[in-house]
Amino acid sequence: PERRICNFSGEEIEPGTGMMFVRRDGSVLWCKNSKARKNMVILKRNSRRVKWTRHFVKGDFEPFDLSIRLYCLRFKQNRVQL
C-alpha cells in the first residue's frame, strides 16, 4: 500500500481513504478528507493561510479585516479638517 500526502493539508493519507481529484490539465491532487477537498477545489483557498493545515505560515499575510482597519485609520489621519 502506498502512503500519500494531502496536497492541501500536508497530512498523510491512510491507505484506502482520501480522494483523488484530477484537473482538466491532467494534474492529480490528493485530498485527505472532504474538508481539504472543499477548501482546495471549491473555495480555492491558499493552504498557507488556513490555520489547521501543516502548510500554515504564521505572519505570512495580513488579515483582510486588519488591512481595511489600517486603511481607514490612515485615511482619517490624512483627512483635512474643514
Side-chain angles (χ1 to χ4, degrees), residues 23-74:
R23 291 195 170 155
R24 291 180 189 169
D25 62 357
S27 60
V28 178
L29 303 173
W30 287 93
C31 302
K32 181 177 175 123
N33 50 23
S34 62
K35 181 180 179 180
R37 183 183 60 83
K38 288 174 188 173
N39 276 275
M40 180 171 55
V41 178
I42 298 171
L43 300 174
K44 297 179 181 169
R45 288 189 175 150
N46 184 352
S47 61
R48 293 176 58 132
R49 295 185 174 192
V50 181
K51 285 187 178 181
W52 55 267
T53 65
R54 291 191 179 172
H55 299 293
F56 178 71
V57 178
K58 189 173 183 179
D60 182 44
F61 68 101
E62 189 174 278
F64 183 70
D65 295 335
L66 184 62
S67 62
I68 289 177
R69 288 185 200 146
L70 290 175
Y71 175 76
C72 291
L73 284 173
R74 288 185 197 130

